[in-house]
Amino acid sequence: MRFQTFTTQGVALKERYEAWRERAWPSMAKMMRTDKPSGEFYSHIRSYQLGSMVLQEARMTGQTYTRTSQLIRSDGMDGISLGVSLAGRVHGETAVGSYKAGPNSVLFGDLSAPYTHNSTNAHYVTLVFNRKDIQRLVPHIDGLHGLVMTGKDAAPVVRQVTSLLQQLPDASDETGAHLGDGLTGAFLSLLNSTGTVSLSEEAHLSRLRTEVRWIIQQRFREADLDVARIAAMSKVSRATLYRAFSDGEGISAYVTRVRLQMATAALADSGDVRLISEIALSVGFDQVCNFNRAFRRIYGCTPRDWRHHSRTIGAAA
Protein backbone atom coordinates (compact mmCIF):
# COMPACT_ATOMS: atom_id res chain seq x y z
CA MET A 1 0.00 0.00 0.00
CA ARG A 2 1.22 3.49 -0.82
CA PHE A 3 2.09 5.74 2.11
CA GLN A 4 4.00 8.87 3.05
CA THR A 5 6.62 8.83 5.77
CA PHE A 6 8.71 11.38 7.63
CA THR A 7 11.20 11.12 10.49
CA THR A 8 13.53 13.41 12.39
CA GLN A 9 15.81 10.45 13.10
CA GLY A 10 19.33 11.37 12.09
CA VAL A 11 18.60 15.11 12.24
CA ALA A 12 20.50 17.18 14.79
CA LEU A 13 18.39 17.97 17.86
CA LYS A 14 18.48 21.74 17.29
CA GLU A 15 17.40 21.33 13.66
CA ARG A 16 14.54 18.85 14.10
CA TYR A 17 11.70 21.31 14.54
CA GLU A 18 12.66 23.36 11.49
CA ALA A 19 13.18 20.19 9.41
CA TRP A 20 9.68 19.12 10.38
CA ARG A 21 8.11 22.56 10.10
CA GLU A 22 9.35 23.29 6.58
CA ARG A 23 7.46 20.28 5.27
CA ALA A 24 3.84 21.00 4.33
CA TRP A 25 3.29 17.40 5.35
CA PRO A 26 3.44 16.15 8.07
CA SER A 27 3.58 19.51 9.87
CA MET A 28 0.20 20.43 8.34
CA ALA A 29 1.54 23.96 8.19
CA LYS A 30 -1.36 25.16 6.05
CA MET A 31 -4.00 24.13 8.57
CA MET A 32 -2.22 24.40 11.94
CA ARG A 33 -0.17 26.95 13.80
CA THR A 34 2.75 25.32 15.59
CA ASP A 35 5.03 26.62 18.35
CA LYS A 36 8.74 25.92 18.56
CA PRO A 37 9.34 23.60 21.52
CA SER A 38 11.56 24.65 24.40
CA GLY A 39 12.67 21.09 25.14
CA GLU A 40 13.00 17.75 23.36
CA PHE A 41 11.37 17.33 19.97
CA TYR A 42 11.03 14.35 17.66
CA SER A 43 8.57 13.18 15.04
CA HIS A 44 8.19 9.86 13.21
CA ILE A 45 5.07 9.81 11.05
CA ARG A 46 3.51 7.52 8.45
CA SER A 47 0.29 8.32 6.61
CA TYR A 48 -2.05 6.05 4.60
CA GLN A 49 -5.04 6.79 2.37
CA LEU A 50 -7.80 4.25 3.12
CA GLY A 51 -10.46 5.05 0.55
CA SER A 52 -11.85 8.45 1.54
CA MET A 53 -10.22 8.25 4.98
CA VAL A 54 -6.72 9.29 6.05
CA LEU A 55 -4.86 7.34 8.75
CA GLN A 56 -1.74 8.87 10.26
CA GLU A 57 0.45 7.04 12.76
CA ALA A 58 2.81 9.26 14.74
CA ARG A 59 5.42 8.85 17.45
CA MET A 60 6.17 12.33 18.71
CA THR A 61 7.01 14.61 21.58
CA GLY A 62 7.24 18.35 22.01
CA GLN A 63 4.61 19.18 19.39
CA THR A 64 1.95 21.84 19.92
CA TYR A 65 -0.74 22.35 17.29
CA THR A 66 -3.22 25.21 17.31
CA ARG A 67 -6.12 25.30 14.88
CA THR A 68 -7.45 28.85 14.80
CA SER A 69 -10.70 30.31 13.47
CA GLN A 70 -8.71 32.17 10.82
CA LEU A 71 -7.12 28.96 9.54
CA ILE A 72 -10.49 27.22 9.54
CA ARG A 73 -11.97 29.97 7.37
CA SER A 74 -9.02 29.99 4.98
CA ASP A 75 -8.42 26.28 4.37
CA GLY A 76 -11.98 24.94 4.39
CA MET A 77 -10.92 21.68 6.08
CA ASP A 78 -14.08 20.16 7.50
CA GLY A 79 -13.32 16.58 8.56
CA ILE A 80 -14.11 14.63 11.70
CA SER A 81 -11.11 13.12 13.46
CA LEU A 82 -10.66 10.24 15.84
CA GLY A 83 -7.40 10.14 17.77
CA VAL A 84 -6.30 6.81 19.26
CA SER A 85 -3.66 7.15 21.96
CA LEU A 86 -1.52 4.01 22.23
CA ALA A 87 1.27 5.34 24.47
CA GLY A 88 2.40 8.54 26.17
CA ARG A 89 -0.06 11.35 26.68
CA VAL A 90 -1.75 14.19 24.84
CA HIS A 91 -3.70 17.14 26.17
CA GLY A 92 -5.30 20.27 24.84
CA GLU A 93 -8.02 22.89 24.90
CA THR A 94 -11.26 23.41 23.00
CA ALA A 95 -13.75 26.26 23.26
CA VAL A 96 -15.66 24.39 25.97
CA GLY A 97 -12.79 23.14 28.13
CA SER A 98 -9.63 21.07 28.38
CA TYR A 99 -8.98 17.40 27.65
CA LYS A 100 -6.35 14.80 28.53
CA ALA A 101 -5.79 11.40 26.95
CA GLY A 102 -3.42 8.66 28.08
CA PRO A 103 -2.68 5.21 26.67
CA ASN A 104 -5.59 3.17 25.26
CA SER A 105 -7.96 6.10 25.00
CA VAL A 106 -9.82 7.72 22.11
CA LEU A 107 -10.33 11.42 21.40
CA PHE A 108 -13.03 12.93 19.16
CA GLY A 109 -12.09 16.01 17.15
CA ASP A 110 -13.76 18.41 14.73
CA LEU A 111 -11.50 20.14 12.20
CA SER A 112 -14.09 22.89 11.74
CA ALA A 113 -13.71 23.96 15.40
CA PRO A 114 -10.71 25.67 17.08
CA TYR A 115 -8.46 23.72 19.45
CA THR A 116 -4.91 23.36 20.77
CA HIS A 117 -3.23 19.95 20.99
CA ASN A 118 0.01 18.97 22.76
CA SER A 119 1.90 15.67 22.79
CA THR A 120 4.46 14.12 25.14
CA ASN A 121 6.21 10.84 24.22
CA ALA A 122 3.07 9.91 22.34
CA HIS A 123 2.31 7.02 20.03
CA TYR A 124 -0.84 8.38 18.46
CA VAL A 125 -3.00 7.37 15.50
CA THR A 126 -5.25 9.95 13.87
CA LEU A 127 -8.15 8.93 11.63
CA VAL A 128 -9.71 11.70 9.55
CA PHE A 129 -13.19 10.97 8.19
CA ASN A 130 -15.08 12.84 5.51
CA ARG A 131 -17.79 14.80 7.33
CA LYS A 132 -20.39 14.09 4.64
CA ASP A 133 -19.80 10.34 4.95
CA ILE A 134 -20.38 10.49 8.71
CA GLN A 135 -23.33 12.89 8.62
CA ARG A 136 -25.09 10.68 6.09
CA LEU A 137 -25.22 8.10 8.89
CA VAL A 138 -25.27 10.40 11.92
CA PRO A 139 -27.00 13.70 11.05
CA HIS A 140 -26.20 15.41 14.35
CA ILE A 141 -22.70 15.02 15.80
CA ASP A 142 -22.38 18.32 17.65
CA GLY A 143 -20.91 18.38 21.14
CA LEU A 144 -18.27 15.67 20.65
CA HIS A 145 -15.26 17.94 20.01
CA GLY A 146 -12.67 17.20 22.71
CA LEU A 147 -14.56 14.21 24.15
CA VAL A 148 -12.20 11.50 25.50
CA MET A 149 -13.29 7.88 25.90
CA THR A 150 -11.37 5.30 27.92
CA GLY A 151 -11.66 1.78 29.32
CA LYS A 152 -14.10 -0.72 27.85
CA ASP A 153 -15.74 1.93 25.64
CA ALA A 154 -12.48 2.70 23.84
CA ALA A 155 -11.06 -0.85 23.90
CA PRO A 156 -12.67 -2.19 20.66
CA VAL A 157 -11.35 0.72 18.59
CA VAL A 158 -7.90 0.54 20.21
CA ARG A 159 -7.70 -3.20 19.42
CA GLN A 160 -8.85 -2.71 15.84
CA VAL A 161 -6.40 0.12 15.17
CA THR A 162 -3.52 -1.83 16.74
CA SER A 163 -4.31 -4.82 14.53
CA LEU A 164 -4.67 -2.57 11.49
CA LEU A 165 -1.20 -1.06 11.93
CA GLN A 166 0.26 -4.55 11.57
CA GLN A 167 -1.72 -5.25 8.37
CA LEU A 168 -1.30 -1.99 6.46
CA PRO A 169 2.32 -2.25 5.26
CA ASP A 170 1.52 -5.43 3.29
CA ALA A 171 -2.04 -4.53 2.26
CA SER A 172 -3.12 -3.57 -1.25
CA ASP A 173 -4.88 -0.28 -2.00
CA GLU A 174 -8.14 -2.20 -2.50
CA THR A 175 -7.76 -3.93 0.85
CA GLY A 176 -6.96 -0.56 2.42
CA ALA A 177 -10.30 0.81 1.25
CA HIS A 178 -12.10 -2.15 2.87
CA LEU A 179 -10.13 -1.62 6.07
CA GLY A 180 -11.20 2.02 5.98
CA ASP A 181 -14.83 0.90 5.79
CA GLY A 182 -14.21 -1.23 8.86
CA LEU A 183 -12.85 1.75 10.77
CA THR A 184 -15.92 3.77 9.82
CA GLY A 185 -18.04 1.05 11.39
CA ALA A 186 -15.89 1.11 14.52
CA PHE A 187 -16.29 4.88 14.65
CA LEU A 188 -20.08 4.52 14.46
CA SER A 189 -20.05 1.97 17.27
CA LEU A 190 -18.04 4.36 19.40
CA LEU A 191 -20.43 7.20 18.62
CA ASN A 192 -23.34 5.01 19.65
CA SER A 193 -21.68 4.18 22.96
CA THR A 194 -21.38 7.86 23.91
CA GLY A 195 -25.16 8.07 24.35
CA THR A 196 -25.07 11.61 22.95
CA VAL A 197 -26.02 10.87 19.34
CA SER A 198 -28.74 8.89 17.61
CA LEU A 199 -27.64 6.65 14.78
CA SER A 200 -29.82 6.28 11.71
CA GLU A 201 -30.97 2.82 10.64
CA GLU A 202 -28.34 2.88 7.89
CA ALA A 203 -25.69 3.66 10.50
CA HIS A 204 -26.77 0.64 12.56
CA LEU A 205 -26.63 -1.53 9.43
CA SER A 206 -23.21 -0.12 8.55
CA ARG A 207 -21.98 -0.96 12.02
CA LEU A 208 -23.40 -4.48 11.65
CA ARG A 209 -21.62 -4.93 8.30
CA THR A 210 -18.34 -3.99 9.96
CA GLU A 211 -18.86 -6.48 12.77
CA VAL A 212 -19.83 -9.25 10.36
CA ARG A 213 -16.82 -8.65 8.11
CA TRP A 214 -14.57 -8.81 11.15
CA ILE A 215 -16.13 -12.15 12.16
CA ILE A 216 -15.63 -13.51 8.65
CA GLN A 217 -12.01 -12.35 8.53
CA GLN A 218 -11.35 -14.24 11.75
CA ARG A 219 -13.35 -17.41 10.99
CA PHE A 220 -13.32 -17.90 7.21
CA ARG A 221 -11.30 -21.13 7.59
CA GLU A 222 -14.27 -22.82 9.30
CA ALA A 223 -16.16 -24.80 6.65
CA ASP A 224 -19.48 -24.51 8.52
CA LEU A 225 -19.37 -20.70 8.59
CA ASP A 226 -22.77 -19.94 7.07
CA VAL A 227 -25.37 -17.19 7.38
CA ALA A 228 -27.09 -18.85 10.34
CA ARG A 229 -23.85 -19.06 12.36
CA ILE A 230 -22.83 -15.52 11.48
CA ALA A 231 -26.26 -14.20 12.49
CA ALA A 232 -26.00 -16.05 15.82
CA MET A 233 -22.53 -14.66 16.51
CA SER A 234 -23.72 -11.16 15.57
CA LYS A 235 -26.83 -11.57 17.75
CA VAL A 236 -29.21 -10.51 14.97
CA SER A 237 -31.78 -12.32 12.86
CA ARG A 238 -30.90 -13.67 9.43
CA ALA A 239 -33.40 -11.19 7.96
CA THR A 240 -31.50 -8.27 9.50
CA LEU A 241 -28.22 -9.71 8.27
CA TYR A 242 -29.55 -10.05 4.73
CA ARG A 243 -30.87 -6.48 4.87
CA ALA A 244 -27.47 -5.16 5.93
CA PHE A 245 -25.87 -6.72 2.85
CA SER A 246 -28.74 -6.16 0.41
CA ASP A 247 -27.32 -3.17 -1.50
CA GLY A 248 -23.97 -4.60 -2.52
CA GLU A 249 -21.99 -7.79 -2.25
CA GLY A 250 -24.01 -10.45 -0.45
CA ILE A 251 -22.76 -12.03 2.74
CA SER A 252 -22.14 -15.47 1.20
CA ALA A 253 -20.29 -13.84 -1.70
CA TYR A 254 -18.12 -11.95 0.79
CA VAL A 255 -17.20 -15.17 2.61
CA THR A 256 -16.25 -16.75 -0.72
CA ARG A 257 -14.18 -13.74 -1.76
CA VAL A 258 -12.20 -13.73 1.48
CA ARG A 259 -11.49 -17.45 1.13
CA LEU A 260 -10.41 -17.08 -2.49
CA GLN A 261 -8.13 -14.14 -1.70
CA MET A 262 -6.32 -16.26 0.87
CA ALA A 263 -6.15 -19.15 -1.59
CA THR A 264 -4.65 -17.02 -4.38
CA ALA A 265 -1.96 -15.75 -2.00
CA ALA A 266 -1.05 -19.35 -1.10
CA LEU A 267 -1.06 -20.46 -4.73
CA ALA A 268 1.29 -17.63 -5.70
CA ASP A 269 3.71 -18.40 -2.85
CA SER A 270 6.56 -20.50 -4.23
CA GLY A 271 7.36 -21.63 -0.71
CA ASP A 272 3.91 -23.17 -0.23
CA VAL A 273 4.24 -26.82 -1.32
CA ARG A 274 0.76 -27.96 -0.33
CA LEU A 275 -1.53 -29.67 -2.81
CA ILE A 276 -4.27 -27.48 -4.27
CA SER A 277 -6.83 -29.64 -2.50
CA GLU A 278 -5.09 -28.97 0.83
CA ILE A 279 -5.15 -25.22 0.21
CA ALA A 280 -8.84 -25.37 -0.69
CA LEU A 281 -9.74 -27.13 2.54
CA SER A 282 -7.47 -24.86 4.62
CA VAL A 283 -9.35 -21.71 3.54
CA GLY A 284 -12.77 -23.09 4.41
CA PHE A 285 -14.13 -24.88 1.33
CA ASP A 286 -15.76 -28.16 2.30
CA GLN A 287 -15.22 -29.75 -1.12
CA VAL A 288 -12.49 -29.21 -3.70
CA CYS A 289 -15.02 -29.20 -6.55
CA ASN A 290 -16.78 -26.20 -4.95
CA PHE A 291 -13.42 -24.43 -4.65
CA ASN A 292 -12.55 -25.08 -8.30
CA ARG A 293 -15.97 -23.89 -9.47
CA ALA A 294 -15.84 -20.67 -7.42
CA PHE A 295 -12.25 -19.99 -8.45
CA ARG A 296 -12.99 -20.32 -12.16
CA ARG A 297 -16.10 -18.13 -11.83
CA ILE A 298 -14.19 -15.29 -10.14
CA TYR A 299 -10.77 -15.50 -11.80
CA GLY A 300 -11.58 -17.09 -15.15
CA CYS A 301 -9.01 -19.87 -14.84
CA THR A 302 -8.30 -22.96 -12.78
CA PRO A 303 -6.33 -22.83 -9.51
CA ARG A 304 -3.60 -24.88 -11.20
CA ASP A 305 -3.26 -22.35 -14.03
CA TRP A 306 -3.19 -19.50 -11.49
CA ARG A 307 -0.42 -21.18 -9.51
CA HIS A 308 1.68 -21.83 -12.61
CA HIS A 309 1.24 -18.30 -14.01
CA SER A 310 1.87 -16.53 -10.68
CA ARG A 311 4.99 -18.50 -9.88
CA THR A 312 6.37 -18.14 -13.41
CA ILE A 313 6.04 -14.35 -13.19
CA GLY A 314 7.55 -14.36 -9.69
CA ALA A 315 10.56 -16.38 -10.84
CA ALA A 316 11.13 -14.06 -13.81
CA ALA A 317 11.04 -11.00 -11.57
Side-chain angles (χ1 to χ4, degrees):
M1 172 175 290
R2 291 168 293 179
F3 58 85
Q4 291 180 290
T5 187
F6 172 84
T7 181
T8 56
Q9 186 175 0
V11 179
L13 182 61
K14 293 183 178 180
E15 300 173 1
R16 288 179 181 177
Y17 173 77
E18 294 301 332
W20 171 80
R21 177 62 185 169
E22 70 183 13
R23 298 278 295 269
W25 181 93
S27 71
M28 298 184 286
K30 293 183 178 180
M31 57 180 291
M32 298 286 186
R33 190 189 75 211
T34 62
D35 300 324
K36 188 171 183 177
S38 57
E40 183 183 8
F41 177 89
Y42 65 78
S43 176
H44 310 292
I45 300 179
R46 179 172 287 189
S47 179
Y48 299 89
Q49 186 75 43
L50 307 180
S52 63
M53 179 198 311
V54 174
L55 181 150
Q56 179 173 283
E57 179 189 12
R59 298 176 188 271
M60 54 194 178
T61 199
Q63 290 182 354
T64 299
Y65 290 110
T66 301
R67 183 143 172 81
T68 65
S69 298
Q70 181 179 358
L71 286 170
I72 291 169
R73 289 193 298 270
S74 65
D75 64 29
M77 289 290 293
D78 192 29
I80 302 296
S81 69
L82 195 67
V84 181
S85 178
L86 301 177
R89 63 183 187 275
V90 298
H91 66 277
E93 298 275 348
T94 70
V96 297
S98 60
Y99 62 82
K100 294 181 180 180
N104 302 318
S105 58
V106 176
L107 169 67
F108 288 96
D110 186 339
L111 294 180
S112 69
Y115 67 96
T116 297
H117 185 82
N118 305 274
S119 62
T120 304
N121 297 323
H123 182 193
Y124 196 75
V125 177
T126 303
L127 312 171
V128 181
F129 300 86
N130 184 299
R131 180 183 293 272
K132 290 182 179 179
D133 291 343
I134 298 300
Q135 286 191 321
R136 178 174 58 84
L137 303 171
V138 189
H140 304 292
I141 54 177
D142 300 330
L144 295 177
H145 188 43
L147 175 66
V148 176
M149 301 192 72
T150 60
K152 64 180 182 180
D153 292 327
V157 172
V158 173
R159 284 196 300 269
Q160 188 163 348
V161 167
T162 301
S163 174
L164 190 64
L165 292 177
Q166 298 173 349
Q167 300 176 50
L168 283 177
D170 299 322
S172 65
D173 289 344
E174 180 183 2
T175 300
H178 287 298
L179 293 172
D181 290 340
L183 286 174
T184 300
F187 178 70
L188 293 173
S189 294
L190 196 61
L191 282 176
N192 189 58
S193 69
T194 67
T196 60
V197 297
S198 297
L199 302 187
S200 66
E201 181 184 11
E202 174 54 29
H204 283 291
L205 293 178
S206 178
R207 187 179 59 171
L208 176 59
R209 284 192 292 271
T210 297
E211 180 181 352
V212 167
R213 286 171 180 149
W214 180 258
I215 289 172
I216 293 170
Q217 290 283 349
Q218 302 304 310
R219 294 179 173 269
F220 68 90
R221 299 182 189 279
E222 301 171 12
D224 62 345
L225 185 67
D226 57 13
V227 173
R229 276 197 67 205
I230 294 170
M233 286 186 282
S234 304
K235 299 180 181 179
V236 298
S237 67
R238 282 186 288 181
T240 299
L241 199 56
Y242 282 126
R243 189 164 74 252
F245 284 82
S246 62
D247 292 337
E249 183 179 38
I251 187 168
S252 296
Y254 182 75
V255 173
T256 299
R257 179 162 65 85
V258 170
R259 288 171 170 167
L260 289 177
Q261 285 176 341
M262 298 304 296
T264 56
L267 291 169
D269 182 1
S270 60
D272 194 326
V273 298
R274 289 177 296 173
L275 298 174
I276 289 176
S277 59
E278 292 175 319
I279 292 174
L281 296 176
S282 75
V283 298
F285 284 91
D286 57 350
Q287 296 183 40
V288 177
C289 61
N290 292 336
F291 170 67
N292 290 334
R293 188 180 304 113
F295 198 100
R296 183 183 286 275
R297 184 179 71 252
I298 299 299
Y299 296 106
C301 65
T302 67
R304 187 178 302 279
D305 289 340
W306 180 280
R307 169 179 263 179
H308 175 73
H309 181 68
S310 299
R311 296 188 180 185
T312 300
I313 292 176

